[in-house]
Amino acid sequence: MADSVEQKIISAIITRLGLINGTGSYLTSIGTRVEDSRTNWDQEDDLPAISVFQGTVTSEESTDEDLQVIRTMAVMIKAFLLRLDTPTLDAAFARKALADIYRAIRSQDQWIVSSVPQATFTQEKSHGIEYAENSYEITGVQVEIEIQYIGSKFNLES
């Protein structure tokens, strides 16, 4: 059985974020560890790391005699960061991490898999720095995007 379009898109995002390695135009190496839906990372051994989470997918019928739908998939990209020497360094690094995530996304936002574009459009929704509860210590960053693709009605594989 073939992977769903949504699985192909998430896999493409994970692959792309894995390219954030501190070389070329990337400012950080936060792409060392990137996984689908991982919620916890060990502080010393695994960080920095990125998790990619699929959110709700909405559908609307296209004008193609109701045989196709336009789906919009919410995706949250969450980078977990190590603490540095000072809050100022933590904040600067977090902003660089956000810039790198955006740089990776904009390099090709149709999420091409095996020479086939999986999406028609990717748009940014929000981004921010995350803080530890009650302490305002920076723990990571979060980017939310929406990816739109056209699919066959009641078929997630095409």
Side-chain angles (χ1 to χ4, degrees):
M1 179 176 269
D3 283 339
S4 70
V5 174
E6 293 164 7
Q7 180 62 54
K8 290 176 186 175
I9 291 170
I10 295 295
S11 295
I13 293 169
I14 290 167
T15 299
R16 182 85 50 75
L17 293 172
L19 299 175
I20 303 174
N21 61 6
T23 64
S25 60
Y26 291 114
L27 305 171
T28 71
S29 59
I30 62 170
T32 305
R33 292 173 189 84
V34 184
E35 291 188 21
D36 186 354
S37 303
R38 183 164 174 182
T39 58
N40 58 346
W41 296 88
D42 291 333
Q43 182 72 13
E44 295 301 318
D45 298 332
D46 293 335
L47 299 184
I50 300 173
S51 291
V52 178
F53 300 95
Q54 177 179 337
T56 301
V57 179
T58 59
S59 298
E60 61 183 78
E61 302 214 359
S62 72
T63 57
D64 187 13
E65 299 179 16
D66 300 332
L67 298 175
Q68 291 190 320
V69 293
I70 300 168
R71 293 191 179 102
T72 303
M73 178 173 65
V75 175
M76 181 178 62
I77 300 164
K78 183 174 170 130
F80 300 82
L81 305 177
L82 278 172
R83 299 257 324 152
L84 300 174
D85 293 334
T86 68
T88 301
L89 290 175
D90 289 343
F93 187 81
R95 292 183 190 106
K96 287 178 183 179
L98 286 167
D100 279 350
I101 292 169
Y102 271 70
R103 188 172 287 111
I105 293 168
R106 77 173 175 254
S107 68
Q108 177 38 266
D109 68 355
Q110 290 183 311
W111 310 107
I112 296 173
V113 176
S114 301
S115 302
V116 177
Q118 300 299 309
T120 56
F121 184 71
T122 300
Q123 73 176 15
E124 61 181 277
K125 293 301 291 178
S126 66
H127 68 272
I129 296 174
E130 294 193 336
Y131 301 92
E133 193 174 327
N134 300 322
S135 74
Y136 289 102
E137 292 178 354
I138 293 173
T139 59
V141 297
Q142 178 176 303
V143 172
E144 294 182 49
I145 60 176
E146 285 184 342
I147 299 172
Q148 190 174 81
Y149 71 94
I150 297 173
S152 298
K153 191 172 185 178
F154 296 112
N155 184 349
L156 293 179
E157 296 169 0
S158 66

